[in-house]
Amino acid sequence: MNEIKQIFQVNETYTWLREQLLCRLPDGSLCCVFFTGGGGDGDLRNIVAAIRSDDDGETWSDVEIC
């Protein structure tokens, strides 16, 4: 059975995470795209962000704003 790993931790800047989409890219890396940012749904500070893994999910990049 595969171990479940946390790939992102909310913080003071990215206060929530929603609608995440995890996919494998043509180069073999993993990419997770999600909504985050302001105080919740409808907040003007909300953004789309992404993180990537080049080692099959063992480690993840810093957040990139899309």
Side-chain angles (χ1 to χ4, degrees):
M1 184 173 180
N2 292 336
E3 178 183 347
I4 296 173
K5 295 182 181 185
Q6 181 173 335
I7 65 173
F8 182 79
Q9 176 66 46
V10 296
N11 56 43
E12 291 180 10
T13 303
Y14 308 112
T15 58
W16 57 278
L17 180 146
R18 186 170 163 173
E19 307 297 333
Q20 63 276 10
L21 173 66
L22 178 65
C23 63
R24 188 169 301 275
L25 300 177
D27 68 0
S29 65
L30 294 171
C31 181
C32 183
V33 178
F34 51 91
F35 292 116
T36 188
D41 285 341
D43 193 306
L44 294 176
R45 297 170 294 164
N46 290 347
I47 57 172
V48 175
I51 54 177
R52 289 182 60 144
S53 174
D54 292 320
D55 58 9
D56 231 13
E58 290 298 317
T59 60
W60 290 86
S61 70
D62 290 334
V63 173
E64 297 179 37
I65 307 306
C66 300

Coordinates of all heavy atoms in Angstrom, one line a residue:
M1 N 0.8 -1.2 0.0 CA 0.0 0.0 0.0 C 0.9 1.2 0.0 O 1.8 1.3 0.7 CB -0.9 0.0 1.2 CG -1.9 1.1 1.3 SD -3.0 0.8 2.6 CE -4.0 2.2 2.5
N2 N 0.5 2.2 -0.8 CA 1.3 3.5 -0.9 C 1.1 4.3 0.3 O 0.0 4.4 0.8 CB 1.0 4.3 -2.2 CG 1.4 3.6 -3.4 OD1 2.3 2.8 -3.4 ND2 0.8 3.8 -4.5
E3 N 2.2 5.0 0.7 CA 2.1 5.9 1.8 C 1.4 7.3 1.4 O 1.8 7.7 0.3 CB 3.5 6.2 2.4 CG 3.5 7.2 3.5 CD 4.9 7.5 3.9 OE1 5.9 6.8 3.5 OE2 5.1 8.5 4.6
I4 N 0.5 7.8 2.1 CA -0.1 9.1 1.8 C 0.8 10.2 2.4 O 1.1 10.2 3.5 CB -1.5 9.2 2.4 CG1 -2.4 8.1 1.7 CG2 -2.1 10.6 2.1 CD1 -3.8 8.1 2.3
K5 N 1.2 11.1 1.5 CA 2.1 12.2 1.9 C 1.4 13.6 1.7 O 0.6 13.8 0.8 CB 3.3 12.2 1.1 CG 4.2 11.0 1.3 CD 5.4 11.1 0.5 CE 6.2 9.8 0.7 NZ 7.5 9.8 0.1
Q6 N 1.6 14.5 2.7 CA 1.1 15.8 2.5 C 2.1 16.6 1.6 O 3.3 16.6 1.9 CB 1.1 16.5 3.9 CG 0.6 17.9 3.8 CD 0.4 18.5 5.2 OE1 0.2 17.7 6.2 NE2 0.4 19.8 5.3
I7 N 1.6 17.2 0.6 CA 2.4 17.9 -0.4 C 2.4 19.4 -0.3 O 3.2 20.1 -0.9 CB 2.1 17.4 -1.8 CG1 0.7 17.9 -2.3 CG2 2.3 15.9 -2.0 CD1 0.4 17.7 -3.7
F8 N 1.5 19.9 0.5 CA 1.4 21.4 0.7 C 0.8 21.7 2.0 O -0.1 21.0 2.5 CB 0.5 22.0 -0.4 CG 0.4 23.5 -0.3 CD1 1.4 24.3 -0.8 CD2 -0.7 24.1 0.2 CE1 1.3 25.7 -0.7 CE2 -0.8 25.4 0.3 CZ 0.2 26.3 -0.2
Q9 N 1.4 22.7 2.7 CA 0.9 23.2 4.0 C 0.4 24.6 3.9 O 1.2 25.5 3.5 CB 2.0 23.0 5.1 CG 1.6 23.6 6.4 CD 0.5 22.7 7.1 OE1 0.6 21.5 7.1 NE2 -0.5 23.3 7.6
V10 N -0.8 24.9 4.2 CA -1.3 26.2 4.2 C -0.5 27.0 5.2 O 0.1 26.5 6.2 CB -2.8 26.3 4.5 CG1 -3.6 25.7 3.4 CG2 -3.2 25.8 5.8
N11 N -0.5 28.4 5.0 CA 0.3 29.2 5.9 C -0.3 30.6 5.9 O -1.4 30.8 5.5 CB 1.8 29.3 5.5 CG 1.9 29.7 4.0 OD1 1.3 30.6 3.5 ND2 2.8 29.0 3.3
E12 N 0.4 31.6 6.4 CA -0.2 33.0 6.5 C -0.4 33.6 5.1 O -1.3 34.4 5.0 CB 0.8 33.9 7.3 CG 0.8 33.5 8.7 CD 1.7 34.4 9.5 OE1 2.2 35.5 9.0 OE2 2.0 34.1 10.7
T13 N 0.3 33.2 4.1 CA 0.1 33.8 2.7 C -0.9 33.0 2.0 O -1.8 33.6 1.3 CB 1.5 33.7 1.9 OG1 2.4 34.5 2.7 CG2 1.3 34.3 0.6
Y14 N -0.8 31.7 2.0 CA -1.8 30.8 1.3 C -2.6 30.1 2.4 O -2.3 29.0 2.9 CB -1.0 29.7 0.5 CG 0.0 30.4 -0.4 CD1 1.4 30.3 -0.2 CD2 -0.4 31.2 -1.4 CE1 2.3 30.9 -1.0 CE2 0.5 31.8 -2.3 CZ 1.9 31.7 -2.1 OH 2.8 32.3 -2.9
T15 N -3.7 30.8 2.7 CA -4.5 30.4 3.9 C -5.5 29.3 3.8 O -6.1 28.8 4.7 CB -5.3 31.7 4.4 OG1 -6.2 32.1 3.4 CG2 -4.4 32.8 4.8
W16 N -5.6 28.8 2.5 CA -6.5 27.7 2.3 C -6.1 27.1 0.9 O -5.3 27.6 0.2 CB -8.0 28.1 2.3 CG -8.3 29.2 1.3 CD1 -8.1 30.5 1.5 CD2 -8.8 29.0 0.0 NE1 -8.4 31.2 0.3 CE2 -8.9 30.3 -0.6 CE3 -9.2 27.9 -0.8 CZ2 -9.3 30.5 -1.9 CZ3 -9.6 28.2 -2.1 CH2 -9.7 29.5 -2.6
L17 N -6.6 25.9 0.7 CA -6.3 25.2 -0.6 C -7.6 24.5 -1.0 O -8.3 23.9 -0.2 CB -5.2 24.2 -0.4 CG -4.8 23.3 -1.6 CD1 -3.4 23.0 -1.5 CD2 -5.6 22.1 -1.7
R18 N -7.9 24.7 -2.3 CA -9.2 24.1 -2.8 C -9.0 23.7 -4.3 O -8.3 24.3 -5.0 CB -10.3 25.1 -2.6 CG -11.6 24.5 -3.0 CD -12.7 25.5 -2.6 NE -13.9 25.1 -3.3 CZ -15.1 25.6 -3.1 NH1 -15.2 26.5 -2.2 NH2 -16.1 25.2 -3.8
E19 N -9.8 22.8 -4.7 CA -9.9 22.4 -6.2 C -8.6 21.9 -6.7 O -8.2 22.3 -7.8 CB -10.5 23.5 -7.0 CG -11.8 24.1 -6.5 CD -13.0 23.0 -6.5 OE1 -12.9 22.1 -7.3 OE2 -13.9 23.2 -5.7
Q20 N -7.8 21.2 -6.0 CA -6.5 20.7 -6.4 C -6.6 19.7 -7.5 O -7.6 18.9 -7.6 CB -5.7 20.2 -5.3 CG -6.3 18.9 -4.6 CD -7.3 19.2 -3.5 OE1 -7.7 20.3 -3.4 NE2 -7.7 18.2 -2.8
L21 N -5.7 19.8 -8.5 CA -5.6 18.9 -9.6 C -4.2 18.4 -9.7 O -3.3 19.2 -9.8 CB -6.0 19.6 -10.9 CG -5.8 18.8 -12.2 CD1 -6.7 17.6 -12.2 CD2 -6.0 19.7 -13.4
L22 N -4.0 17.1 -9.6 CA -2.6 16.5 -9.6 C -2.5 15.7 -10.9 O -3.4 14.9 -11.3 CB -2.4 15.5 -8.5 CG -1.1 14.8 -8.4 CD1 0.0 15.7 -8.2 CD2 -1.2 13.7 -7.3
C23 N -1.4 16.0 -11.7 CA -1.2 15.3 -13.0 C 0.2 15.0 -13.2 O 1.1 15.7 -12.7 CB -1.9 16.1 -14.1 SG -1.1 17.7 -14.4
R24 N 0.5 14.0 -14.0 CA 1.9 13.7 -14.5 C 2.1 14.4 -15.8 O 1.3 14.2 -16.8 CB 2.1 12.2 -14.6 CG 3.6 11.9 -14.8 CD 3.9 10.5 -14.7 NE 3.6 9.9 -13.4 CZ 4.4 10.0 -12.3 NH1 5.6 10.6 -12.4 NH2 4.1 9.4 -11.2
L25 N 3.1 15.2 -15.9 CA 3.4 15.9 -17.1 C 4.2 15.1 -18.1 O 4.8 14.0 -17.7 CB 4.2 17.2 -16.8 CG 3.5 18.2 -15.9 CD1 4.4 19.4 -15.5 CD2 2.2 18.6 -16.5
P26 N 4.3 15.5 -19.4 CA 5.0 14.6 -20.4 C 6.5 14.3 -20.0 O 7.0 13.3 -20.4 CB 4.9 15.5 -21.7 CG 3.7 16.3 -21.5 CD 3.6 16.6 -20.0
D27 N 7.1 15.2 -19.3 CA 8.5 15.0 -18.9 C 8.6 14.0 -17.7 O 9.7 13.8 -17.2 CB 9.2 16.3 -18.6 CG 8.7 17.0 -17.3 OD1 7.8 16.5 -16.7 OD2 9.3 18.1 -17.0
G28 N 7.5 13.6 -17.2 CA 7.5 12.6 -16.0 C 7.3 13.2 -14.7 O 7.1 12.5 -13.7
S29 N 7.5 14.6 -14.6 CA 7.3 15.2 -13.3 C 5.8 15.3 -12.9 O 4.9 15.1 -13.7 CB 7.9 16.6 -13.3 OG 7.1 17.4 -14.2
L30 N 5.6 15.5 -11.6 CA 4.2 15.7 -11.1 C 3.9 17.2 -11.0 O 4.8 18.0 -10.6 CB 4.0 15.0 -9.8 CG 4.1 13.5 -9.8 CD1 4.1 12.9 -8.4 CD2 3.0 12.9 -10.6
C31 N 2.7 17.6 -11.2 CA 2.3 19.0 -11.0 C 0.9 19.0 -10.3 O 0.0 18.3 -10.6 CB 2.2 19.7 -12.4 SG 1.7 21.4 -12.2
C32 N 0.9 19.8 -9.3 CA -0.4 20.0 -8.6 C -0.8 21.5 -8.7 O 0.0 22.4 -8.3 CB -0.3 19.6 -7.1 SG -1.8 19.7 -6.2
V33 N -2.0 21.7 -9.3 CA -2.5 23.1 -9.4 C -3.7 23.3 -8.5 O -4.5 22.3 -8.4 CB -2.9 23.3 -10.9 CG1 -3.5 24.7 -11.1 CG2 -1.7 23.1 -11.8
F34 N -3.8 24.4 -7.9 CA -4.9 24.6 -6.9 C -5.2 26.1 -6.7 O -4.4 26.9 -7.1 CB -4.6 24.0 -5.6 CG -3.2 24.4 -5.0 CD1 -3.1 25.5 -4.2 CD2 -2.1 23.7 -5.3 CE1 -1.9 25.9 -3.7 CE2 -0.8 24.1 -4.8 CZ -0.7 25.2 -4.0
F35 N -6.4 26.3 -6.2 CA -6.8 27.7 -5.8 C -6.4 27.9 -4.3 O -6.4 27.0 -3.5 CB -8.3 27.9 -5.8 CG -8.9 27.9 -7.2 CD1 -9.8 26.9 -7.6 CD2 -8.6 28.8 -8.1 CE1 -10.3 26.8 -8.9 CE2 -9.1 28.8 -9.4 CZ -10.0 27.8 -9.8
T36 N -5.9 29.1 -4.0 CA -5.5 29.5 -2.7 C -5.5 31.0 -2.6 O -5.8 31.7 -3.5 CB -4.1 28.9 -2.3 OG1 -3.8 29.1 -0.9 CG2 -3.0 29.4 -3.2
G37 N -5.0 31.6 -1.5 CA -4.8 33.0 -1.4 C -5.5 33.7 -0.3 O -5.2 33.5 0.9
G38 N -6.6 34.5 -0.6 CA -7.3 35.3 0.3 C -8.1 34.5 1.4 O -7.8 33.3 1.6
G39 N -9.0 35.1 2.0 CA -9.8 34.6 3.1 C -10.8 33.5 2.7 O -11.2 32.8 3.6
G40 N -11.1 33.3 1.5 CA -12.0 32.2 1.1 C -12.6 32.5 -0.3 O -12.1 33.4 -1.0
D41 N -13.6 31.8 -0.6 CA -14.3 31.9 -1.9 C -14.7 33.4 -2.2 O -15.2 34.0 -1.3 CB -15.5 31.1 -2.0 CG -15.2 29.6 -2.3 OD1 -14.1 29.3 -2.7 OD2 -16.1 28.8 -2.0
G42 N -14.4 33.9 -3.4 CA -14.8 35.2 -3.8 C -13.9 36.3 -3.4 O -14.0 37.5 -3.8
D43 N -12.8 36.0 -2.6 CA -11.9 37.1 -2.1 C -11.0 37.5 -3.3 O -10.6 36.7 -4.1 CB -11.0 36.5 -1.1 CG -10.2 37.5 -0.3 OD1 -9.5 38.3 -1.0 OD2 -10.2 37.5 0.9
L44 N -10.8 38.8 -3.5 CA -10.1 39.3 -4.6 C -8.6 39.0 -4.6 O -7.9 39.1 -5.6 CB -10.2 40.8 -4.7 CG -11.6 41.3 -5.0 CD1 -11.7 42.9 -5.0 CD2 -12.1 40.8 -6.4
R45 N -8.1 38.5 -3.4 CA -6.7 38.1 -3.3 C -6.5 36.6 -3.7 O -5.4 36.1 -3.7 CB -6.2 38.3 -1.9 CG -6.2 39.8 -1.5 CD -6.0 39.9 0.0 NE -7.1 39.3 0.7 CZ -7.1 39.0 2.0 NH1 -6.1 39.2 2.7 NH2 -8.2 38.5 2.6
N46 N -7.5 35.9 -4.1 CA -7.4 34.5 -4.5 C -6.6 34.4 -5.7 O -6.6 35.2 -6.6 CB -8.8 33.9 -4.7 CG -9.5 33.7 -3.4 OD1 -8.9 33.9 -2.3 ND2 -10.8 33.4 -3.5
I47 N -5.8 33.3 -5.8 CA -4.9 33.0 -7.0 C -5.0 31.6 -7.3 O -5.5 30.7 -6.6 CB -3.5 33.4 -6.6 CG1 -3.0 32.6 -5.4 CG2 -3.3 34.9 -6.4 CD1 -1.5 32.8 -5.1
V48 N -4.5 31.3 -8.5 CA -4.2 29.9 -8.9 C -2.7 29.7 -8.7 O -1.9 30.5 -9.2 CB -4.6 29.6 -10.4 CG1 -4.2 28.2 -10.8 CG2 -6.1 29.9 -10.6
A49 N -2.3 28.6 -8.1 CA -0.9 28.3 -7.8 C -0.6 26.9 -8.2 O -1.5 26.1 -8.5 CB -0.7 28.5 -6.3
A50 N 0.7 26.6 -8.3 CA 1.1 25.3 -8.7 C 2.4 24.9 -7.9 O 3.2 25.8 -7.6 CB 1.4 25.2 -10.2
I51 N 2.6 23.6 -7.7 CA 3.8 23.1 -7.2 C 4.2 21.9 -8.0 O 3.3 21.3 -8.6 CB 3.7 22.7 -5.7 CG1 2.5 21.7 -5.5 CG2 3.6 23.9 -4.8 CD1 2.4 21.2 -4.0
R52 N 5.5 21.6 -8.1 CA 6.0 20.5 -8.9 C 6.9 19.6 -8.2 O 7.6 20.0 -7.2 CB 6.7 21.0 -10.2 CG 5.8 21.7 -11.1 CD 6.6 22.2 -12.3 NE 7.2 21.1 -13.0 CZ 7.4 21.0 -14.3 NH1 7.0 21.9 -15.1 NH2 8.0 19.9 -14.8
S53 N 6.9 18.3 -8.6 CA 7.9 17.3 -8.1 C 8.6 16.6 -9.2 O 7.9 16.1 -10.1 CB 7.1 16.3 -7.2 OG 8.0 15.3 -6.8
D54 N 9.9 16.6 -9.1 CA 10.7 15.9 -10.1 C 11.2 14.5 -9.6 O 11.9 13.8 -10.3 CB 11.9 16.7 -10.5 CG 11.6 17.9 -11.3 OD1 10.6 17.9 -12.1 OD2 12.2 19.0 -11.0
D55 N 10.7 14.1 -8.4 CA 11.2 12.8 -7.8 C 10.0 12.0 -7.4 O 10.0 11.3 -6.4 CB 12.2 13.1 -6.7 CG 11.6 13.9 -5.6 OD1 10.4 14.2 -5.6 OD2 12.4 14.3 -4.7
D56 N 9.0 12.0 -8.2 CA 7.8 11.2 -8.0 C 7.1 11.5 -6.7 O 6.5 10.6 -6.0 CB 8.1 9.7 -8.1 CG 7.2 8.9 -9.0 OD1 6.5 9.6 -9.8 OD2 7.3 7.7 -9.0
G57 N 7.1 12.7 -6.2 CA 6.3 13.1 -5.1 C 7.1 13.1 -3.7 O 6.5 13.4 -2.7
E58 N 8.4 12.7 -3.8 CA 9.2 12.7 -2.5 C 9.4 14.1 -2.0 O 9.3 14.4 -0.8 CB 10.5 12.0 -2.7 CG 10.4 10.6 -3.0 CD 9.8 9.8 -1.8 OE1 10.2 10.1 -0.6 OE2 9.0 8.9 -2.0
T59 N 9.7 15.1 -2.9 CA 9.8 16.5 -2.5 C 9.0 17.4 -3.5 O 8.8 16.9 -4.6 CB 11.3 16.9 -2.5 OG1 11.8 16.7 -3.8 CG2 12.1 16.1 -1.5
W60 N 8.7 18.6 -3.1 CA 7.9 19.5 -3.9 C 8.5 20.9 -3.9 O 9.1 21.3 -2.9 CB 6.5 19.5 -3.3 CG 5.7 18.2 -3.6 CD1 5.8 17.2 -2.7 CD2 4.9 17.9 -4.7 NE1 5.0 16.1 -3.3 CE2 4.5 16.6 -4.5 CE3 4.5 18.6 -5.8 CZ2 3.7 15.9 -5.4 CZ3 3.7 17.9 -6.7 CH2 3.3 16.6 -6.5
S61 N 8.3 21.6 -5.0 CA 8.8 22.9 -5.2 C 8.1 23.9 -4.3 O 7.0 23.6 -3.7 CB 8.7 23.3 -6.7 OG 7.3 23.5 -7.0
D62 N 8.6 25.1 -4.3 CA 7.9 26.2 -3.7 C 6.7 26.5 -4.6 O 6.7 26.2 -5.7 CB 8.8 27.4 -3.6 CG 9.9 27.3 -2.5 OD1 9.7 26.5 -1.6 OD2 10.9 27.9 -2.7
V63 N 5.8 27.3 -4.0 CA 4.6 27.7 -4.8 C 5.0 28.6 -5.9 O 5.7 29.5 -5.8 CB 3.6 28.4 -3.9 CG1 2.4 28.9 -4.6 CG2 3.1 27.4 -2.8
E64 N 4.4 28.3 -7.1 CA 4.5 29.2 -8.3 C 3.1 29.8 -8.6 O 2.1 29.0 -8.6 CB 5.0 28.5 -9.5 CG 6.4 27.9 -9.3 CD 6.9 27.1 -10.5 OE1 6.6 27.5 -11.6 OE2 7.6 26.1 -10.3
I65 N 3.0 31.1 -8.7 CA 1.7 31.7 -9.1 C 1.5 31.5 -10.6 O 2.4 31.8 -11.4 CB 1.7 33.2 -8.7 CG1 2.1 33.4 -7.2 CG2 0.4 33.8 -9.0 CD1 1.3 32.6 -6.2
C66 N 0.3 31.1 -10.9 CA 0.0 30.8 -12.3 C -0.7 32.0 -13.0 O -1.4 32.8 -12.3 CB -0.9 29.6 -12.5 SG -0.2 28.1 -11.8

